[in-house]
Amino acid sequence: MHRSELNIDPSRPKTRMRPLKALRHMKTLIADKEDTEQVFHIIEALSGDALRRNLYRFAETEEGEAALKERTYLPPRLDDRGWLRELPDNTVGAAYVKFMEREGLTAQGLVDESMKMRQRYEDYNDDLSWYADRTRDTHDLYHVLTGYGRDALGEASLLAFTHGQMPSRGVNFISYVGTREMKKHLPREANVMECYREGKRNGRAAKTIAAEDIMALLREPLEEARARLNIAKPVAYRNALRVFDDAGMVATDIQVAAE
C-alpha cells in the first residue's frame, strides 16, 4: 500500500520535539516504573514523525497492508481468556494468558493508561491512530515472544527491542536512560548496557511482530513462532538475571534508580 492511500487526518498538527517535557516525565517514571502513563508522554514528546515513518514502512509490506485493510482491534481478543485457555499448552496464546494472569495484567489496562494522555489531546480516527494502538496492544505479547520479563531491566531491554523493530527516539530514550541509571547501582558483572545493545540488535534482526496476523500467531507453537520470526534468545539479559540471583538480588525489586 502506497503512503498516498493511507487515511491520515489532514488536521493533525505538525509534530515537534519537546526534550524538556520528556525529561520531566522521565523523572516521574524513574520514581515509579509502574506509572505506565509516563511512557506515552515521553514517546509523544520525543518521537517527532517516527510514528508516521514507521506506518509508511508497515503499509509497504504485504503483512502490514493486510492488517490495515482488516483493522482488527486487538484488546477484546487478547482479553478473551476463555478462548486463550483452550489453546494447546505449547502455543503463544497459552504462554500469553499465563503471563498476563501471573502479572495481573489485561490488554484493556494498557489502553486505559494510554487514554489518560490521549484525553488531553484531540483524538483522530485514522490509520495513524490505528497503527499507534496496534503497537501499544502488542507490547505484552512482545514480552512472551522475546523472553524479557517485567522487571526494570527486562522492560528497558524490551523497549530496546521495540526500537529495533520500529525506530523511535522516545522509545530509545526511555530504554537507554533507564538502563544507564540501573548501571550505576548494579553489579558490573551484570553488564546491563549489553542488555540494551542486545535488545536493539535482536529487534532489528527479527520480523516485525506488529505486522503479524496476531490471532494466527497466538495459535502457533511458541518455539516455532520464535524461530519463524527470527527472535534470538536474550542471552545478555539472562546472564544479568543470573548475576542478580548470585548476589541475592531479586530482579523484580530492582528499580531504575537507587532508593
Coordinates of all heavy atoms in Angstrom, one line a residue, residues 72-85 87 92-101 105-111 133-142 144-145 209 212-219:
T72 N -8.2 -4.9 12.6 CA -8.6 -5.6 13.8 C -8.2 -4.8 15.1 O -7.1 -4.3 15.2 CB -7.9 -7.0 13.9 OG1 -8.3 -7.8 12.7 CG2 -8.4 -7.8 15.2
Y73 N -9.2 -4.7 16.0 CA -8.9 -4.1 17.3 C -8.6 -5.2 18.3 O -9.5 -6.0 18.6 CB -10.1 -3.2 17.7 CG -9.9 -2.5 19.0 CD1 -8.9 -1.5 19.1 CD2 -10.7 -2.7 20.1 CE1 -8.7 -0.8 20.3 CE2 -10.5 -2.0 21.3 CZ -9.5 -1.1 21.4 OH -9.3 -0.4 22.6
L74 N -7.4 -5.2 18.8 CA -6.9 -6.4 19.5 C -7.3 -6.6 20.9 O -7.5 -7.7 21.4 CB -5.4 -6.4 19.4 CG -4.8 -6.7 18.0 CD1 -3.3 -6.5 18.0 CD2 -5.1 -8.0 17.5
P75 N -7.5 -5.5 21.7 CA -7.7 -5.8 23.2 C -8.8 -6.7 23.5 O -8.6 -7.6 24.4 CB -8.0 -4.3 23.7 CG -7.2 -3.5 22.8 CD -7.3 -4.1 21.5
P76 N -10.0 -6.7 23.0 CA -11.1 -7.7 23.4 C -10.6 -9.1 23.1 O -11.0 -10.0 23.8 CB -12.3 -7.3 22.5 CG -12.0 -5.8 22.1 CD -10.6 -5.7 22.0
R77 N -9.9 -9.3 22.0 CA -9.5 -10.6 21.6 C -8.3 -11.1 22.5 O -8.3 -12.3 22.9 CB -9.0 -10.7 20.2 CG -10.2 -10.2 19.2 CD -9.9 -10.5 17.8 NE -10.9 -10.1 16.9 CZ -11.1 -10.5 15.7 NH1 -10.2 -11.3 15.1 NH2 -12.1 -10.0 14.9
L78 N -7.5 -10.2 22.9 CA -6.3 -10.6 23.8 C -6.8 -10.8 25.2 O -6.1 -11.4 26.0 CB -5.3 -9.5 23.7 CG -4.5 -9.3 22.4 CD1 -3.6 -8.1 22.4 CD2 -3.7 -10.6 22.1
D79 N -8.0 -10.2 25.5 CA -8.5 -10.4 26.9 C -9.6 -11.5 26.9 O -10.2 -11.7 28.0 CB -9.2 -9.1 27.4 CG -8.1 -8.1 27.9 OD1 -7.0 -8.5 28.2 OD2 -8.4 -6.9 27.9
D80 N -9.8 -12.2 25.8 CA -10.7 -13.4 25.8 C -10.0 -14.6 26.4 O -9.5 -15.5 25.6 CB -11.2 -13.6 24.4 CG -12.2 -14.7 24.3 OD1 -12.5 -15.3 25.3 OD2 -12.8 -14.9 23.2
R81 N -9.9 -14.7 27.7 CA -9.1 -15.7 28.3 C -9.7 -17.1 28.2 O -9.0 -18.1 28.3 CB -8.8 -15.3 29.8 CG -8.0 -14.0 29.8 CD -7.4 -13.7 31.1 NE -6.5 -12.5 31.0 CZ -5.9 -11.9 32.0 NH1 -6.1 -12.3 33.2 NH2 -5.1 -10.9 31.8
G82 N -11.0 -17.1 28.1 CA -11.6 -18.4 27.9 C -11.1 -19.1 26.6 O -10.7 -20.3 26.6
W83 N -11.1 -18.3 25.5 CA -10.5 -18.9 24.2 C -9.0 -19.2 24.3 O -8.6 -20.2 23.9 CB -10.8 -17.8 23.1 CG -10.2 -18.2 21.8 CD1 -10.7 -19.2 21.0 CD2 -9.0 -17.7 21.2 NE1 -9.8 -19.3 19.8 CE2 -8.8 -18.4 20.0 CE3 -8.0 -16.8 21.6 CZ2 -7.7 -18.2 19.2 CZ3 -6.9 -16.6 20.8 CH2 -6.8 -17.3 19.6
L84 N -8.3 -18.3 25.0 CA -6.8 -18.5 25.1 C -6.5 -19.7 25.9 O -5.6 -20.5 25.6 CB -6.2 -17.3 25.7 CG -6.1 -16.0 24.8 CD1 -5.8 -14.8 25.7 CD2 -5.2 -16.2 23.7
R85 N -7.3 -20.0 27.0 CA -7.0 -21.2 27.8 C -7.3 -22.5 27.1 O -6.8 -23.5 27.5 CB -7.8 -21.1 29.1 CG -7.4 -20.0 30.1 CD -8.1 -20.2 31.4 NE -7.9 -19.0 32.2 CZ -8.9 -18.1 32.4 NH1 -10.0 -18.2 31.8 NH2 -8.7 -17.0 33.2
L87 N -6.3 -23.1 24.1 CA -5.2 -23.4 23.2 C -4.3 -24.4 23.8 O -4.1 -24.5 25.0 CB -4.5 -22.1 22.8 CG -5.3 -21.1 22.0 CD1 -4.5 -19.7 21.9 CD2 -5.6 -21.6 20.6
V92 N 1.7 -19.9 21.6 CA 2.0 -18.5 22.0 C 0.8 -18.0 22.9 O 1.1 -17.4 23.9 CB 2.1 -17.6 20.8 CG1 2.2 -16.1 21.2 CG2 3.3 -18.0 19.9
G93 N -0.4 -18.3 22.5 CA -1.6 -17.9 23.3 C -1.6 -18.4 24.7 O -2.0 -17.7 25.6
A94 N -1.2 -19.7 24.8 CA -1.2 -20.3 26.2 C -0.2 -19.6 27.1 O -0.4 -19.3 28.2 CB -1.0 -21.8 26.1
A95 N 1.0 -19.3 26.5 CA 2.1 -18.6 27.2 C 1.6 -17.2 27.5 O 1.9 -16.7 28.6 CB 3.3 -18.6 26.4
Y96 N 0.9 -16.6 26.6 CA 0.5 -15.2 26.8 C -0.5 -15.1 28.0 O -0.4 -14.2 28.8 CB -0.1 -14.7 25.5 CG -0.7 -13.3 25.6 CD1 0.1 -12.2 25.6 CD2 -2.1 -13.1 25.7 CE1 -0.5 -10.9 25.7 CE2 -2.7 -11.8 25.9 CZ -1.9 -10.7 25.8 OH -2.4 -9.5 25.9
V97 N -1.5 -16.0 28.0 CA -2.5 -15.8 29.0 C -1.9 -16.2 30.4 O -2.3 -15.5 31.4 CB -3.8 -16.7 28.7 CG1 -3.5 -18.2 28.9 CG2 -4.9 -16.3 29.6
K98 N -1.0 -17.1 30.5 CA -0.3 -17.4 31.7 C 0.5 -16.2 32.2 O 0.5 -15.9 33.4 CB 0.6 -18.6 31.6 CG -0.2 -19.9 31.4 CD 0.8 -21.1 31.1 CE 0.0 -22.4 30.9 NZ 0.9 -23.5 30.5
F99 N 1.2 -15.5 31.3 CA 2.0 -14.4 31.6 C 1.1 -13.2 32.1 O 1.3 -12.6 33.1 CB 2.7 -13.9 30.3 CG 3.4 -12.6 30.5 CD1 4.7 -12.5 31.1 CD2 2.8 -11.4 30.0 CE1 5.3 -11.3 31.2 CE2 3.4 -10.2 30.1 CZ 4.7 -10.1 30.8
M100 N 0.0 -13.0 31.4 CA -0.9 -11.9 31.8 C -1.6 -12.2 33.2 O -1.7 -11.2 34.0 CB -2.0 -11.7 30.7 CG -1.5 -11.3 29.4 SD -0.6 -9.7 29.4 CE -2.0 -8.6 29.2
E101 N -2.0 -13.4 33.4 CA -2.6 -13.7 34.7 C -1.6 -13.7 35.8 O -1.9 -13.2 36.9 CB -3.2 -15.1 34.6 CG -4.5 -15.1 33.7 CD -5.1 -16.5 33.6 OE1 -4.4 -17.5 33.9 OE2 -6.3 -16.6 33.3
L105 N -2.3 -8.5 34.6 CA -2.4 -7.5 33.5 C -3.6 -7.8 32.6 O -4.0 -9.0 32.5 CB -1.1 -7.5 32.6 CG 0.2 -7.2 33.3 CD1 1.3 -7.4 32.3 CD2 0.2 -5.7 33.8
T106 N -4.1 -6.8 31.9 CA -5.1 -7.0 30.9 C -4.7 -6.1 29.7 O -4.0 -5.1 29.9 CB -6.5 -6.7 31.3 OG1 -6.5 -5.3 31.6 CG2 -6.9 -7.5 32.5
A107 N -5.1 -6.5 28.5 CA -4.8 -5.6 27.3 C -5.6 -4.3 27.5 O -5.1 -3.2 27.2 CB -5.3 -6.3 26.1
Q108 N -6.8 -4.3 28.1 CA -7.6 -3.1 28.3 C -6.9 -2.2 29.3 O -7.0 -1.0 29.2 CB -9.0 -3.5 28.8 CG -9.9 -2.3 28.9 CD -10.1 -1.5 27.7 OE1 -10.3 -2.2 26.6 NE2 -10.1 -0.2 27.7
G109 N -6.2 -2.7 30.2 CA -5.5 -1.9 31.2 C -4.5 -1.0 30.5 O -4.3 0.2 30.9
L110 N -3.7 -1.5 29.5 CA -2.8 -0.7 28.8 C -3.5 0.4 28.0 O -3.0 1.5 27.9 CB -1.9 -1.6 27.9 CG -0.6 -1.0 27.4 CD1 0.3 -0.5 28.6 CD2 0.2 -2.0 26.6
V111 N -4.7 0.0 27.4 CA -5.5 1.0 26.7 C -5.9 2.1 27.7 O -5.8 3.3 27.3 CB -6.8 0.4 26.2 CG1 -7.7 1.4 25.5 CG2 -6.4 -0.7 25.1
D133 N -2.3 2.3 18.1 CA -2.9 1.3 19.0 C -2.4 -0.1 18.8 O -2.2 -0.8 19.8 CB -4.4 1.3 18.7 CG -5.1 2.6 19.2 OD1 -4.5 3.4 19.9 OD2 -6.3 2.8 18.8
R134 N -2.1 -0.4 17.6 CA -1.5 -1.7 17.3 C -0.2 -2.0 18.0 O 0.1 -3.0 18.6 CB -1.3 -1.9 15.8 CG -0.8 -3.2 15.3 CD -1.8 -4.2 15.1 NE -1.4 -5.3 14.3 CZ -2.2 -6.3 13.9 NH1 -3.5 -6.2 14.1 NH2 -1.7 -7.3 13.2
T135 N 0.7 -1.0 18.0 CA 2.0 -1.1 18.6 C 1.8 -1.2 20.1 O 2.6 -1.8 20.8 CB 2.9 0.0 18.2 OG1 2.4 1.3 18.6 CG2 3.1 0.1 16.7
R136 N 0.9 -0.4 20.7 CA 0.6 -0.5 22.1 C 0.0 -1.8 22.5 O 0.5 -2.4 23.5 CB -0.4 0.6 22.5 CG -1.0 0.6 23.9 CD -2.3 1.4 24.0 NE -3.3 0.7 23.2 CZ -4.4 1.4 22.8 NH1 -4.6 2.6 23.1 NH2 -5.4 0.7 22.1
D137 N -0.9 -2.3 21.8 CA -1.7 -3.5 22.2 C -0.8 -4.8 22.1 O -1.2 -5.8 22.7 CB -3.0 -3.7 21.4 CG -3.9 -2.5 21.6 OD1 -3.8 -1.8 22.6 OD2 -4.7 -2.2 20.6
T138 N 0.2 -4.8 21.3 CA 1.1 -6.0 21.2 C 2.3 -6.0 22.2 O 3.1 -6.9 22.2 CB 1.6 -6.1 19.7 OG1 2.2 -4.8 19.3 CG2 0.5 -6.4 18.8
H139 N 2.4 -4.9 23.0 CA 3.5 -4.8 23.9 C 3.7 -6.0 24.8 O 4.8 -6.6 24.8 CB 3.4 -3.6 24.8 CG 4.5 -3.5 25.8 ND1 5.8 -3.0 25.5 CD2 4.5 -3.8 27.1 CE1 6.5 -3.1 26.6 NE2 5.7 -3.5 27.6
D140 N 2.7 -6.5 25.4 CA 2.8 -7.6 26.3 C 3.1 -8.9 25.6 O 3.7 -9.8 26.1 CB 1.6 -7.7 27.3 CG 1.6 -6.6 28.3 OD1 2.7 -6.3 28.9 OD2 0.5 -6.0 28.5
L141 N 2.6 -9.0 24.4 CA 2.9 -10.2 23.5 C 4.4 -10.2 23.2 O 5.0 -11.3 23.1 CB 2.1 -10.1 22.2 CG 2.1 -11.3 21.3 CD1 1.7 -12.6 22.0 CD2 1.2 -11.1 20.1
Y142 N 5.0 -9.0 23.1 CA 6.5 -9.0 22.9 C 7.2 -9.6 24.0 O 8.2 -10.2 23.9 CB 6.9 -7.5 22.7 CG 6.8 -6.9 21.3 CD1 5.6 -7.0 20.6 CD2 7.8 -6.2 20.7 CE1 5.4 -6.4 19.4 CE2 7.7 -5.6 19.5 CZ 6.5 -5.7 18.8 OH 6.4 -5.2 17.6
V144 N 6.3 -12.1 25.9 CA 6.2 -13.5 25.8 C 7.1 -14.0 24.7 O 7.8 -15.0 24.9 CB 4.7 -13.9 25.5 CG1 4.6 -15.4 25.2 CG2 3.8 -13.5 26.7
L145 N 7.1 -13.4 23.5 CA 7.9 -13.9 22.4 C 9.4 -13.7 22.6 O 10.2 -14.5 22.2 CB 7.4 -13.1 21.1 CG 6.1 -13.5 20.6 CD1 5.6 -12.5 19.6 CD2 6.1 -14.9 20.0
I209 N 6.9 -7.9 14.5 CA 5.8 -8.6 15.2 C 4.4 -8.0 15.0 O 3.4 -8.6 14.8 CB 6.1 -8.8 16.7 CG1 7.4 -9.6 16.9 CG2 4.9 -9.4 17.4 CD1 7.9 -9.6 18.3
E212 N 2.3 -9.1 12.1 CA 1.8 -10.4 12.0 C 0.2 -10.5 12.2 O -0.4 -9.6 12.7 CB 2.4 -11.2 13.2 CG 3.9 -11.5 13.0 CD 4.2 -12.4 11.9 OE1 3.6 -13.5 11.8 OE2 5.0 -12.0 11.0
D213 N -0.3 -11.6 11.7 CA -1.7 -11.9 11.9 C -1.7 -12.4 13.4 O -1.4 -13.5 13.7 CB -2.2 -13.0 11.0 CG -3.6 -13.4 11.2 OD1 -4.1 -13.2 12.4 OD2 -4.2 -14.0 10.3
I214 N -2.1 -11.5 14.3 CA -2.0 -11.8 15.7 C -2.8 -13.0 16.2 O -2.3 -13.8 17.0 CB -2.3 -10.6 16.6 CG1 -1.4 -9.4 16.2 CG2 -2.2 -10.9 18.1 CD1 0.1 -9.7 16.4
M215 N -4.0 -13.2 15.7 CA -4.8 -14.3 16.1 C -4.2 -15.6 15.6 O -4.2 -16.6 16.3 CB -6.2 -14.2 15.5 CG -6.9 -12.9 15.9 SD -6.8 -12.5 17.7 CE -7.7 -13.8 18.4
A216 N -3.6 -15.6 14.4 CA -2.9 -16.8 13.9 C -1.7 -17.1 14.7 O -1.3 -18.2 15.1 CB -2.6 -16.7 12.4
L217 N -1.0 -16.0 15.1 CA 0.3 -16.1 15.9 C 0.0 -16.7 17.2 O 0.8 -17.6 17.7 CB 0.9 -14.7 16.0 CG 2.2 -14.6 16.9 CD1 3.3 -15.5 16.3 CD2 2.6 -13.2 17.0
L218 N -1.1 -16.4 17.9 CA -1.5 -16.9 19.2 C -1.7 -18.4 19.1 O -1.4 -19.1 20.1 CB -2.7 -16.2 19.7 CG -2.6 -14.7 20.1 CD1 -3.9 -14.1 20.3 CD2 -1.7 -14.6 21.4
R219 N -2.1 -18.9 18.0 CA -2.3 -20.4 17.9 C -1.1 -21.2 17.5 O -1.1 -22.4 17.5 CB -3.4 -20.6 16.8 CG -4.8 -20.1 17.2 CD -5.9 -20.6 16.2 NE -5.7 -19.9 14.9 CZ -6.4 -18.8 14.6 NH1 -7.2 -18.3 15.4 NH2 -6.2 -18.2 13.4

